[in-house]
Amino acid sequence: DAGVIQSPRHEVTEMGQEVTLRCKPISGHDYLFWYRQTMMRGLELLIYFNNNVPIDDSGMPEDRFSAKMPNASFSTLKIQPSEPRDSAVYFCASSFPSGTDYGYTFGSGTRLTVV
Amino acid sequence: DQQVKQNSPSLSVQEGRISILNCDYTNSMFDYFLWYKKYPAEGPTFLISISSIKDKNEDGRFTVFLNKSAKHLSLHIVPSQPGDSAVYFCAARPLRETSGSRLTFGEGTQLTVNP
């Protein structure tokens, strides 16, 4: 398996534009997580899915953020409209349910810069 | 409310010496703890874990210590090597959480091992 695949690796966009981040989890993993890395708060959980169903989106900062998981192999995180304070690295991770020692497998992240 | 806190944003040590990274948590429901290591431009990768039934877990040069009464854990790296230079994240979860392997992360500590 190629691991968790995120695209794009880097995204630079202008304030007000729509941004879509993509994630392909590891086949067979039934949990998918979106995290955002910032200096102040480290890795913040934005939203997570179980069997394609959103379970907890309380970490989504504002209504400008939305996430979908139309099938077991694909998820998107959308920011519309984007703002400079959204600049961060966004990680997608997938896992089996509790019981595994290693928790999650992370993708390589998308570095978002909003200018 | 930062439930997992890493108070040292950075740590610098000499090659061959011990590196000690610290982590504190506030949620008494946490009983499974993990350390992740992150290199630049990569996602975090699992390093070592410990459950609350233990106070120590060792894997090669890496040892994690857990002090439940103090709600404190630490990661020891002995001897430190330049290749250990990375950001280290502490993470925690309730072991028997039924809603999936949801992890709460700290802010991260940048370790630099000087040759």
Side-chain angles (χ1 to χ4, degrees):
Chain A
D1 200 315
V4 176
I5 299 172
Q6 290 187 246
S7 64
R9 289 298 306 271
H10 302 275
E11 177 79 40
V12 180
T13 190
E14 290 186 348
M15 183 174 64
Q17 296 297 307
E18 177 180 297
V19 175
T20 299
L21 312 181
R22 297 172 176 81
C23 175
K24 178 178 172 13
I26 291 175
S27 176
H29 282 189
D30 52 2
Y31 282 85
L32 183 139
F33 305 82
W34 282 100
Y35 277 84
R36 177 170 69 175
Q37 182 188 3
T38 63
M39 290 295 290
M40 292 297 294
R41 299 182 65 83
L43 286 164
E44 294 178 270
L45 178 65
L46 300 177
I47 185 171
Y48 76 99
F49 297 83
N50 176 220
N51 292 320
N52 314 335
V53 176
I55 302 300
D56 185 350
D57 65 354
S58 61
M60 298 285 259
E62 299 172 35
D63 290 346
R64 298 183 295 106
F65 286 69
S66 63
K68 294 181 180 179
M69 191 165 185
N71 57 62
S73 59
F74 184 65
S75 177
T76 60
L77 177 67
K78 185 177 293 186
I79 307 172
Q80 165 64 17
S82 57
E83 296 183 3
R85 60 193 167 120
D86 302 330
S87 298
V89 181
Y90 292 80
F91 288 102
C92 175
S94 68
S95 81
F96 288 114
S98 299
T100 57
D101 280 346
Y102 47 83
Y104 304 165
T105 302
F106 281 86
S108 298
T110 296
R111 179 173 293 277
L112 174 65
T113 303
V114 183
V115 298
Chain B
D1 176 30
Q2 195 73 11
Q3 296 187 56
V4 177
K5 195 141 185 66
Q6 296 174 253
N7 288 312
S8 299
S10 64
L11 174 68
S12 183
V13 300
Q14 285 299 119
E15 181 178 5
R17 307 295 288 268
I18 184 172
S19 295
I20 300 176
L21 296 96
N22 293 303
C23 178
D24 297 292
Y25 62 97
T26 58
N27 189 337
S28 58
M29 296 300 291
F30 289 149
D31 58 3
Y32 193 72
F33 305 90
L34 306 90
W35 285 93
Y36 282 76
K37 178 178 179 179
K38 183 186 175 308
Y39 290 118
E42 295 182 12
T45 56
F46 170 76
L47 184 59
I48 192 169
S49 63
I50 187 168
S51 74
S52 59
I53 61 173
K54 295 183 175 181
D55 55 16
K56 176 182 173 181
N57 188 28
E58 192 171 350
D59 183 3
R61 297 185 296 111
F62 302 90
T63 303
V64 56
F65 295 91
L66 175 63
N67 182 333
K68 282 191 67 178
S69 61
K71 294 190 176 65
H72 177 82
L73 63 156
S74 60
L75 174 68
H76 293 211
I77 307 173
V78 184
S80 302
Q81 299 173 354
D84 297 329
S85 298
V87 176
Y88 289 78
F89 288 99
C90 172
R93 72 170 191 233
L95 185 59
R96 283 171 288 281
E97 182 168 77
T98 57
S99 59
S101 312
R102 176 180 174 156
L103 292 175
T104 301
F105 285 85
E107 305 92 328
T109 297
Q110 170 69 57
L111 173 66
T112 302
V113 180
N114 301 302

mmCIF file with all atom_site columns, all heavy atoms in Angstrom, chain A residues 67-91:
data_model
loop_
_atom_site.group_PDB
_atom_site.id
_atom_site.type_symbol
_atom_site.label_atom_id
_atom_site.label_alt_id
_atom_site.label_comp_id
_atom_site.label_asym_id
_atom_site.label_entity_id
_atom_site.label_seq_id
_atom_site.pdbx_PDB_ins_code
_atom_site.Cartn_x
_atom_site.Cartn_y
_atom_site.Cartn_z
_atom_site.occupancy
_atom_site.B_iso_or_equiv
_atom_site.pdbx_formal_charge
_atom_site.auth_seq_id
_atom_site.auth_comp_id
_atom_site.auth_asym_id
_atom_site.auth_atom_id
_atom_site.pdbx_PDB_model_num
ATOM 1   N N   . ALA A 1 67 ? -15.939 19.446 5.048  1.00 0.00 ? 67 ALA A N   1
ATOM 2   C CA  . ALA A 1 67 ? -15.249 18.211 4.656  1.00 0.00 ? 67 ALA A CA  1
ATOM 3   C C   . ALA A 1 67 ? -16.282 17.181 4.231  1.00 0.00 ? 67 ALA A C   1
ATOM 4   O O   . ALA A 1 67 ? -17.387 17.132 4.776  1.00 0.00 ? 67 ALA A O   1
ATOM 5   C CB  . ALA A 1 67 ? -14.403 17.678 5.797  1.00 0.00 ? 67 ALA A CB  1
ATOM 6   N N   . LYS A 1 68 ? -15.872 16.367 3.270  1.00 0.00 ? 68 LYS A N   1
ATOM 7   C CA  . LYS A 1 68 ? -16.735 15.302 2.784  1.00 0.00 ? 68 LYS A CA  1
ATOM 8   C C   . LYS A 1 68 ? -15.932 14.026 2.620  1.00 0.00 ? 68 LYS A C   1
ATOM 9   O O   . LYS A 1 68 ? -14.707 14.059 2.441  1.00 0.00 ? 68 LYS A O   1
ATOM 10  C CB  . LYS A 1 68 ? -17.348 15.682 1.418  1.00 0.00 ? 68 LYS A CB  1
ATOM 11  C CG  . LYS A 1 68 ? -18.302 16.847 1.468  1.00 0.00 ? 68 LYS A CG  1
ATOM 12  C CD  . LYS A 1 68 ? -18.874 17.126 0.086  1.00 0.00 ? 68 LYS A CD  1
ATOM 13  C CE  . LYS A 1 68 ? -19.836 18.295 0.128  1.00 0.00 ? 68 LYS A CE  1
ATOM 14  N NZ  . LYS A 1 68 ? -20.397 18.612 -1.216 1.00 0.00 ? 68 LYS A NZ  1
ATOM 15  N N   . MET A 1 69 ? -16.651 12.922 2.668  1.00 0.00 ? 69 MET A N   1
ATOM 16  C CA  . MET A 1 69 ? -16.025 11.632 2.373  1.00 0.00 ? 69 MET A CA  1
ATOM 17  C C   . MET A 1 69 ? -17.055 10.829 1.569  1.00 0.00 ? 69 MET A C   1
ATOM 18  O O   . MET A 1 69 ? -17.841 10.063 2.139  1.00 0.00 ? 69 MET A O   1
ATOM 19  C CB  . MET A 1 69 ? -15.620 10.908 3.643  1.00 0.00 ? 69 MET A CB  1
ATOM 20  C CG  . MET A 1 69 ? -14.734 9.715  3.369  1.00 0.00 ? 69 MET A CG  1
ATOM 21  S SD  . MET A 1 69 ? -13.915 9.123  4.855  1.00 0.00 ? 69 MET A SD  1
ATOM 22  C CE  . MET A 1 69 ? -12.866 7.854  4.143  1.00 0.00 ? 69 MET A CE  1
ATOM 23  N N   . PRO A 1 70 ? -17.086 11.021 0.267  1.00 0.00 ? 70 PRO A N   1
ATOM 24  C CA  . PRO A 1 70 ? -18.110 10.378 -0.571 1.00 0.00 ? 70 PRO A CA  1
ATOM 25  C C   . PRO A 1 70 ? -17.965 8.871  -0.657 1.00 0.00 ? 70 PRO A C   1
ATOM 26  O O   . PRO A 1 70 ? -18.964 8.179  -0.937 1.00 0.00 ? 70 PRO A O   1
ATOM 27  C CB  . PRO A 1 70 ? -17.916 11.041 -1.932 1.00 0.00 ? 70 PRO A CB  1
ATOM 28  C CG  . PRO A 1 70 ? -16.521 11.568 -1.917 1.00 0.00 ? 70 PRO A CG  1
ATOM 29  C CD  . PRO A 1 70 ? -16.197 11.907 -0.502 1.00 0.00 ? 70 PRO A CD  1
ATOM 30  N N   . ASN A 1 71 ? -16.755 8.355  -0.436 1.00 0.00 ? 71 ASN A N   1
ATOM 31  C CA  . ASN A 1 71 ? -16.553 6.904  -0.441 1.00 0.00 ? 71 ASN A CA  1
ATOM 32  C C   . ASN A 1 71 ? -15.352 6.563  0.432  1.00 0.00 ? 71 ASN A C   1
ATOM 33  O O   . ASN A 1 71 ? -14.669 7.459  0.935  1.00 0.00 ? 71 ASN A O   1
ATOM 34  C CB  . ASN A 1 71 ? -16.382 6.376  -1.873 1.00 0.00 ? 71 ASN A CB  1
ATOM 35  C CG  . ASN A 1 71 ? -15.252 7.044  -2.602 1.00 0.00 ? 71 ASN A CG  1
ATOM 36  O OD1 . ASN A 1 71 ? -14.100 6.937  -2.195 1.00 0.00 ? 71 ASN A OD1 1
ATOM 37  N ND2 . ASN A 1 71 ? -15.568 7.754  -3.686 1.00 0.00 ? 71 ASN A ND2 1
ATOM 38  N N   . ALA A 1 72 ? -15.091 5.283  0.582  1.00 0.00 ? 72 ALA A N   1
ATOM 39  C CA  . ALA A 1 72 ? -14.054 4.826  1.517  1.00 0.00 ? 72 ALA A CA  1
ATOM 40  C C   . ALA A 1 72 ? -12.644 5.184  1.081  1.00 0.00 ? 72 ALA A C   1
ATOM 41  O O   . ALA A 1 72 ? -11.702 5.037  1.861  1.00 0.00 ? 72 ALA A O   1
ATOM 42  C CB  . ALA A 1 72 ? -14.174 3.312  1.706  1.00 0.00 ? 72 ALA A CB  1
ATOM 43  N N   . SER A 1 73 ? -12.476 5.642  -0.149 1.00 0.00 ? 73 SER A N   1
ATOM 44  C CA  . SER A 1 73 ? -11.127 5.871  -0.647 1.00 0.00 ? 73 SER A CA  1
ATOM 45  C C   . SER A 1 73 ? -10.844 7.336  -0.955 1.00 0.00 ? 73 SER A C   1
ATOM 46  O O   . SER A 1 73 ? -9.820  7.647  -1.567 1.00 0.00 ? 73 SER A O   1
ATOM 47  C CB  . SER A 1 73 ? -10.881 5.021  -1.892 1.00 0.00 ? 73 SER A CB  1
ATOM 48  O OG  . SER A 1 73 ? -11.807 5.340  -2.894 1.00 0.00 ? 73 SER A OG  1
ATOM 49  N N   . PHE A 1 74 ? -11.721 8.239  -0.503 1.00 0.00 ? 74 PHE A N   1
ATOM 50  C CA  . PHE A 1 74 ? -11.501 9.630  -0.898 1.00 0.00 ? 74 PHE A CA  1
ATOM 51  C C   . PHE A 1 74 ? -12.182 10.585 0.082  1.00 0.00 ? 74 PHE A C   1
ATOM 52  O O   . PHE A 1 74 ? -13.335 10.380 0.474  1.00 0.00 ? 74 PHE A O   1
ATOM 53  C CB  . PHE A 1 74 ? -12.041 9.862  -2.310 1.00 0.00 ? 74 PHE A CB  1
ATOM 54  C CG  . PHE A 1 74 ? -11.795 11.226 -2.862 1.00 0.00 ? 74 PHE A CG  1
ATOM 55  C CD1 . PHE A 1 74 ? -10.506 11.677 -3.111 1.00 0.00 ? 74 PHE A CD1 1
ATOM 56  C CD2 . PHE A 1 74 ? -12.856 12.077 -3.144 1.00 0.00 ? 74 PHE A CD2 1
ATOM 57  C CE1 . PHE A 1 74 ? -10.270 12.941 -3.623 1.00 0.00 ? 74 PHE A CE1 1
ATOM 58  C CE2 . PHE A 1 74 ? -12.637 13.344 -3.672 1.00 0.00 ? 74 PHE A CE2 1
ATOM 59  C CZ  . PHE A 1 74 ? -11.338 13.774 -3.910 1.00 0.00 ? 74 PHE A CZ  1
ATOM 60  N N   . SER A 1 75 ? -11.450 11.646 0.439  1.00 0.00 ? 75 SER A N   1
ATOM 61  C CA  . SER A 1 75 ? -12.026 12.686 1.273  1.00 0.00 ? 75 SER A CA  1
ATOM 62  C C   . SER A 1 75 ? -11.500 14.040 0.821  1.00 0.00 ? 75 SER A C   1
ATOM 63  O O   . SER A 1 75 ? -10.388 14.133 0.288  1.00 0.00 ? 75 SER A O   1
ATOM 64  C CB  . SER A 1 75 ? -11.666 12.469 2.745  1.00 0.00 ? 75 SER A CB  1
ATOM 65  O OG  . SER A 1 75 ? -12.173 13.518 3.560  1.00 0.00 ? 75 SER A OG  1
ATOM 66  N N   . THR A 1 76 ? -12.292 15.077 1.019  1.00 0.00 ? 76 THR A N   1
ATOM 67  C CA  . THR A 1 76 ? -11.879 16.436 0.699  1.00 0.00 ? 76 THR A CA  1
ATOM 68  C C   . THR A 1 76 ? -12.111 17.354 1.886  1.00 0.00 ? 76 THR A C   1
ATOM 69  O O   . THR A 1 76 ? -13.044 17.155 2.677  1.00 0.00 ? 76 THR A O   1
ATOM 70  C CB  . THR A 1 76 ? -12.644 17.009 -0.510 1.00 0.00 ? 76 THR A CB  1
ATOM 71  O OG1 . THR A 1 76 ? -14.040 17.010 -0.211 1.00 0.00 ? 76 THR A OG1 1
ATOM 72  C CG2 . THR A 1 76 ? -12.366 16.212 -1.764 1.00 0.00 ? 76 THR A CG2 1
ATOM 73  N N   . LEU A 1 77 ? -11.249 18.337 1.999  1.00 0.00 ? 77 LEU A N   1
ATOM 74  C CA  . LEU A 1 77 ? -11.414 19.424 2.960  1.00 0.00 ? 77 LEU A CA  1
ATOM 75  C C   . LEU A 1 77 ? -11.431 20.704 2.142  1.00 0.00 ? 77 LEU A C   1
ATOM 76  O O   . LEU A 1 77 ? -10.485 20.975 1.400  1.00 0.00 ? 77 LEU A O   1
ATOM 77  C CB  . LEU A 1 77 ? -10.261 19.438 3.962  1.00 0.00 ? 77 LEU A CB  1
ATOM 78  C CG  . LEU A 1 77 ? -10.268 20.571 5.000  1.00 0.00 ? 77 LEU A CG  1
ATOM 79  C CD1 . LEU A 1 77 ? -11.436 20.422 5.974  1.00 0.00 ? 77 LEU A CD1 1
ATOM 80  C CD2 . LEU A 1 77 ? -8.957  20.598 5.779  1.00 0.00 ? 77 LEU A CD2 1
ATOM 81  N N   . LYS A 1 78 ? -12.507 21.465 2.277  1.00 0.00 ? 78 LYS A N   1
ATOM 82  C CA  . LYS A 1 78 ? -12.673 22.658 1.465  1.00 0.00 ? 78 LYS A CA  1
ATOM 83  C C   . LYS A 1 78 ? -12.715 23.888 2.360  1.00 0.00 ? 78 LYS A C   1
ATOM 84  O O   . LYS A 1 78 ? -13.336 23.879 3.435  1.00 0.00 ? 78 LYS A O   1
ATOM 85  C CB  . LYS A 1 78 ? -13.957 22.552 0.641  1.00 0.00 ? 78 LYS A CB  1
ATOM 86  C CG  . LYS A 1 78 ? -14.173 23.677 -0.337 1.00 0.00 ? 78 LYS A CG  1
ATOM 87  C CD  . LYS A 1 78 ? -15.440 23.446 -1.154 1.00 0.00 ? 78 LYS A CD  1
ATOM 88  C CE  . LYS A 1 78 ? -15.312 22.264 -2.075 1.00 0.00 ? 78 LYS A CE  1
ATOM 89  N NZ  . LYS A 1 78 ? -16.479 22.121 -2.979 1.00 0.00 ? 78 LYS A NZ  1
ATOM 90  N N   . ILE A 1 79 ? -12.065 24.938 1.907  1.00 0.00 ? 79 ILE A N   1
ATOM 91  C CA  . ILE A 1 79 ? -12.105 26.228 2.599  1.00 0.00 ? 79 ILE A CA  1
ATOM 92  C C   . ILE A 1 79 ? -12.621 27.252 1.594  1.00 0.00 ? 79 ILE A C   1
ATOM 93  O O   . ILE A 1 79 ? -12.039 27.434 0.527  1.00 0.00 ? 79 ILE A O   1
ATOM 94  C CB  . ILE A 1 79 ? -10.712 26.662 3.107  1.00 0.00 ? 79 ILE A CB  1
ATOM 95  C CG1 . ILE A 1 79 ? -10.070 25.550 3.942  1.00 0.00 ? 79 ILE A CG1 1
ATOM 96  C CG2 . ILE A 1 79 ? -10.846 27.931 3.957  1.00 0.00 ? 79 ILE A CG2 1
ATOM 97  C CD1 . ILE A 1 79 ? -8.625  25.831 4.319  1.00 0.00 ? 79 ILE A CD1 1
ATOM 98  N N   . GLN A 1 80 ? -13.740 27.886 1.938  1.00 0.00 ? 80 GLN A N   1
ATOM 99  C CA  . GLN A 1 80 ? -14.360 28.838 1.035  1.00 0.00 ? 80 GLN A CA  1
ATOM 100 C C   . GLN A 1 80 ? -15.114 29.899 1.831  1.00 0.00 ? 80 GLN A C   1
ATOM 101 O O   . GLN A 1 80 ? -16.093 29.570 2.498  1.00 0.00 ? 80 GLN A O   1
ATOM 102 C CB  . GLN A 1 80 ? -15.318 28.124 0.068  1.00 0.00 ? 80 GLN A CB  1
ATOM 103 C CG  . GLN A 1 80 ? -16.289 28.993 -0.694 1.00 0.00 ? 80 GLN A CG  1
ATOM 104 C CD  . GLN A 1 80 ? -15.631 29.964 -1.658 1.00 0.00 ? 80 GLN A CD  1
ATOM 105 O OE1 . GLN A 1 80 ? -14.475 29.806 -2.012 1.00 0.00 ? 80 GLN A OE1 1
ATOM 106 N NE2 . GLN A 1 80 ? -16.369 30.975 -2.057 1.00 0.00 ? 80 GLN A NE2 1
ATOM 107 N N   . PRO A 1 81 ? -14.691 31.169 1.795  1.00 0.00 ? 81 PRO A N   1
ATOM 108 C CA  . PRO A 1 81 ? -13.497 31.693 1.153  1.00 0.00 ? 81 PRO A CA  1
ATOM 109 C C   . PRO A 1 81 ? -12.277 31.536 2.052  1.00 0.00 ? 81 PRO A C   1
ATOM 110 O O   . PRO A 1 81 ? -12.404 31.526 3.281  1.00 0.00 ? 81 PRO A O   1
ATOM 111 C CB  . PRO A 1 81 ? -13.842 33.160 0.975  1.00 0.00 ? 81 PRO A CB  1
ATOM 112 C CG  . PRO A 1 81 ? -14.715 33.476 2.152  1.00 0.00 ? 81 PRO A CG  1
ATOM 113 C CD  . PRO A 1 81 ? -15.514 32.215 2.415  1.00 0.00 ? 81 PRO A CD  1
ATOM 114 N N   . SER A 1 82 ? -11.118 31.428 1.467  1.00 0.00 ? 82 SER A N   1
ATOM 115 C CA  . SER A 1 82 ? -9.900  31.282 2.254  1.00 0.00 ? 82 SER A CA  1
ATOM 116 C C   . SER A 1 82 ? -9.428  32.639 2.786  1.00 0.00 ? 82 SER A C   1
ATOM 117 O O   . SER A 1 82 ? -9.714  33.690 2.189  1.00 0.00 ? 82 SER A O   1
ATOM 118 C CB  . SER A 1 82 ? -8.797  30.632 1.409  1.00 0.00 ? 82 SER A CB  1
ATOM 119 O OG  . SER A 1 82 ? -8.559  31.396 0.249  1.00 0.00 ? 82 SER A OG  1
ATOM 120 N N   . GLU A 1 83 ? -8.722  32.586 3.934  1.00 0.00 ? 83 GLU A N   1
ATOM 121 C CA  . GLU A 1 83 ? -8.179  33.788 4.560  1.00 0.00 ? 83 GLU A CA  1
ATOM 122 C C   . GLU A 1 83 ? -6.713  33.528 4.920  1.00 0.00 ? 83 GLU A C   1
ATOM 123 O O   . GLU A 1 83 ? -6.316  32.369 5.107  1.00 0.00 ? 83 GLU A O   1
ATOM 124 C CB  . GLU A 1 83 ? -8.969  34.138 5.824  1.00 0.00 ? 83 GLU A CB  1
ATOM 125 C CG  . GLU A 1 83 ? -10.421 34.497 5.554  1.00 0.00 ? 83 GLU A CG  1
ATOM 126 C CD  . GLU A 1 83 ? -11.168 34.901 6.818  1.00 0.00 ? 83 GLU A CD  1
ATOM 127 O OE1 . GLU A 1 83 ? -10.545 34.952 7.912  1.00 0.00 ? 83 GLU A OE1 1
ATOM 128 O OE2 . GLU A 1 83 ? -12.377 35.181 6.716  1.00 0.00 ? 83 GLU A OE2 1
ATOM 129 N N   . PRO A 1 84 ? -5.915  34.586 5.057  1.00 0.00 ? 84 PRO A N   1
ATOM 130 C CA  . PRO A 1 84 ? -4.494  34.391 5.386  1.00 0.00 ? 84 PRO A CA  1
ATOM 131 C C   . PRO A 1 84 ? -4.275  33.572 6.658  1.00 0.00 ? 84 PRO A C   1
ATOM 132 O O   . PRO A 1 84 ? -3.314  32.801 6.736  1.00 0.00 ? 84 PRO A O   1
ATOM 133 C CB  . PRO A 1 84 ? -3.981  35.829 5.537  1.00 0.00 ? 84 PRO A CB  1
ATOM 134 C CG  . PRO A 1 84 ? -4.830  36.621 4.602  1.00 0.00 ? 84 PRO A CG  1
ATOM 135 C CD  . PRO A 1 84 ? -6.206  35.993 4.697  1.00 0.00 ? 84 PRO A CD  1
ATOM 136 N N   . ARG A 1 85 ? -5.150  33.689 7.646  1.00 0.00 ? 85 ARG A N   1
ATOM 137 C CA  . ARG A 1 85 ? -4.969  32.936 8.889  1.00 0.00 ? 85 ARG A CA  1
ATOM 138 C C   . ARG A 1 85 ? -5.215  31.438 8.724  1.00 0.00 ? 85 ARG A C   1
ATOM 139 O O   . ARG A 1 85 ? -4.976  30.662 9.658  1.00 0.00 ? 85 ARG A O   1
ATOM 140 C CB  . ARG A 1 85 ? -5.887  33.471 9.984  1.00 0.00 ? 85 ARG A CB  1
ATOM 141 C CG  . ARG A 1 85 ? -7.362  33.404 9.681  1.00 0.00 ? 85 ARG A CG  1
ATOM 142 C CD  . ARG A 1 85 ? -8.128  34.254 10.679 1.00 0.00 ? 85 ARG A CD  1
ATOM 143 N NE  . ARG A 1 85 ? -9.509  34.480 10.260 1.00 0.00 ? 85 ARG A NE  1
ATOM 144 C CZ  . ARG A 1 85 ? -10.557 34.101 10.974 1.00 0.00 ? 85 ARG A CZ  1
ATOM 145 N NH1 . ARG A 1 85 ? -10.400 33.487 12.114 1.00 0.00 ? 85 ARG A NH1 1
ATOM 146 N NH2 . ARG A 1 85 ? -11.789 34.351 10.543 1.00 0.00 ? 85 ARG A NH2 1
ATOM 147 N N   . ASP A 1 86 ? -5.692  31.033 7.565  1.00 0.00 ? 86 ASP A N   1
ATOM 148 C CA  . ASP A 1 86 ? -5.850  29.596 7.291  1.00 0.00 ? 86 ASP A CA  1
ATOM 149 C C   . ASP A 1 86 ? -4.526  28.964 6.859  1.00 0.00 ? 86 ASP A C   1
ATOM 150 O O   . ASP A 1 86 ? -4.445  27.736 6.720  1.00 0.00 ? 86 ASP A O   1
ATOM 151 C CB  . ASP A 1 86 ? -6.882  29.375 6.182  1.00 0.00 ? 86 ASP A CB  1
ATOM 152 C CG  . ASP A 1 86 ? -8.240  29.956 6.534  1.00 0.00 ? 86 ASP A CG  1
ATOM 153 O OD1 . ASP A 1 86 ? -8.575  30.005 7.739  1.00 0.00 ? 86 ASP A OD1 1
ATOM 154 O OD2 . ASP A 1 86 ? -8.974  30.354 5.603  1.00 0.00 ? 86 ASP A OD2 1
ATOM 155 N N   . SER A 1 87 ? -3.528  29.778 6.643  1.00 0.00 ? 87 SER A N   1
ATOM 156 C CA  . SER A 1 87 ? -2.221  29.251 6.224  1.00 0.00 ? 87 SER A CA  1
ATOM 157 C C   . SER A 1 87 ? -1.674  28.326 7.293  1.00 0.00 ? 87 SER A C   1
ATOM 158 O O   . SER A 1 87 ? -1.538  28.698 8.459  1.00 0.00 ? 87 SER A O   1
ATOM 159 C CB  . SER A 1 87 ? -1.247  30.403 5.975  1.00 0.00 ? 87 SER A CB  1
ATOM 160 O OG  . SER A 1 87 ? -1.699  31.241 4.928  1.00 0.00 ? 87 SER A OG  1
ATOM 161 N N   . ALA A 1 88 ? -1.373  27.098 6.897  1.00 0.00 ? 88 ALA A N   1
ATOM 162 C CA  . ALA A 1 88 ? -0.924  26.060 7.827  1.00 0.00 ? 88 ALA A CA  1
ATOM 163 C C   . ALA A 1 88 ? -0.611  24.822 7.006  1.00 0.00 ? 88 ALA A C   1
ATOM 164 O O   . ALA A 1 88 ? -0.780  24.807 5.785  1.00 0.00 ? 88 ALA A O   1
ATOM 165 C CB  . ALA A 1 88 ? -2.010  25.739 8.852  1.00 0.00 ? 88 ALA A CB  1
ATOM 166 N N   . VAL A 1 89 ? -0.161  23.774 7.694  1.00 0.00 ? 89 VAL A N   1
ATOM 167 C CA  . VAL A 1 89 ? -0.023  22.471 7.051  1.00 0.00 ? 89 VAL A CA  1
ATOM 168 C C   . VAL A 1 89 ? -1.207  21.618 7.486  1.00 0.00 ? 89 VAL A C   1
ATOM 169 O O   . VAL A 1 89 ? -1.482  21.487 8.682  1.00 0.00 ? 89 VAL A O   1
ATOM 170 C CB  . VAL A 1 89 ? 1.295   21.780 7.425  1.00 0.00 ? 89 VAL A CB  1
ATOM 171 C CG1 . VAL A 1 89 ? 1.405   20.430 6.701  1.00 0.00 ? 89 VAL A CG1 1
ATOM 172 C CG2 . VAL A 1 89 ? 2.491   22.665 7.074  1.00 0.00 ? 89 VAL A CG2 1
ATOM 173 N N   . TYR A 1 90 ? -1.892  21.060 6.525  1.00 0.00 ? 90 TYR A N   1
ATOM 174 C CA  . TYR A 1 90 ? -3.068  20.230 6.790  1.00 0.00 ? 90 TYR A CA  1
ATOM 175 C C   . TYR A 1 90 ? -2.712  18.768 6.542  1.00 0.00 ? 90 TYR A C   1
ATOM 176 O O   . TYR A 1 90 ? -2.213  18.407 5.481  1.00 0.00 ? 90 TYR A O   1
ATOM 177 C CB  . TYR A 1 90 ? -4.231  20.662 5.894  1.00 0.00 ? 90 TYR A CB  1
ATOM 178 C CG  . TYR A 1 90 ? -4.765  22.032 6.252  1.00 0.00 ? 90 TYR A CG  1
ATOM 179 C CD1 . TYR A 1 90 ? -4.111  23.184 5.823  1.00 0.00 ? 90 TYR A CD1 1
ATOM 180 C CD2 . TYR A 1 90 ? -5.900  22.170 7.052  1.00 0.00 ? 90 TYR A CD2 1
ATOM 181 C CE1 . TYR A 1 90 ? -4.579  24.444 6.181  1.00 0.00 ? 90 TYR A CE1 1
ATOM 182 C CE2 . TYR A 1 90 ? -6.382  23.420 7.408  1.00 0.00 ? 90 TYR A CE2 1
ATOM 183 C CZ  . TYR A 1 90 ? -5.706  24.555 6.971  1.00 0.00 ? 90 TYR A CZ  1
ATOM 184 O OH  . TYR A 1 90 ? -6.173  25.796 7.330  1.00 0.00 ? 90 TYR A OH  1
ATOM 185 N N   . PHE A 1 91 ? -2.970  17.954 7.549  1.00 0.00 ? 91 PHE A N   1
ATOM 186 C CA  . PHE A 1 91 ? -2.668  16.526 7.449  1.00 0.00 ? 91 PHE A CA  1
ATOM 187 C C   . PHE A 1 91 ? -3.945  15.708 7.451  1.00 0.00 ? 91 PHE A C   1
ATOM 188 O O   . PHE A 1 91 ? -4.902  15.995 8.174  1.00 0.00 ? 91 PHE A O   1
ATOM 189 C CB  . PHE A 1 91 ? -1.815  16.071 8.632  1.00 0.00 ? 91 PHE A CB  1
ATOM 190 C CG  . PHE A 1 91 ? -0.399  16.561 8.604  1.00 0.00 ? 91 PHE A CG  1
ATOM 191 C CD1 . PHE A 1 91 ? -0.005  17.621 9.384  1.00 0.00 ? 91 PHE A CD1 1
ATOM 192 C CD2 . PHE A 1 91 ? 0.536   15.947 7.783  1.00 0.00 ? 91 PHE A CD2 1
ATOM 193 C CE1 . PHE A 1 91 ? 1.305   18.081 9.360  1.00 0.00 ? 91 PHE A CE1 1
ATOM 194 C CE2 . PHE A 1 91 ? 1.852   16.391 7.743  1.00 0.00 ? 91 PHE A CE2 1
ATOM 195 C CZ  . PHE A 1 91 ? 2.229   17.468 8.532  1.00 0.00 ? 91 PHE A CZ  1
#
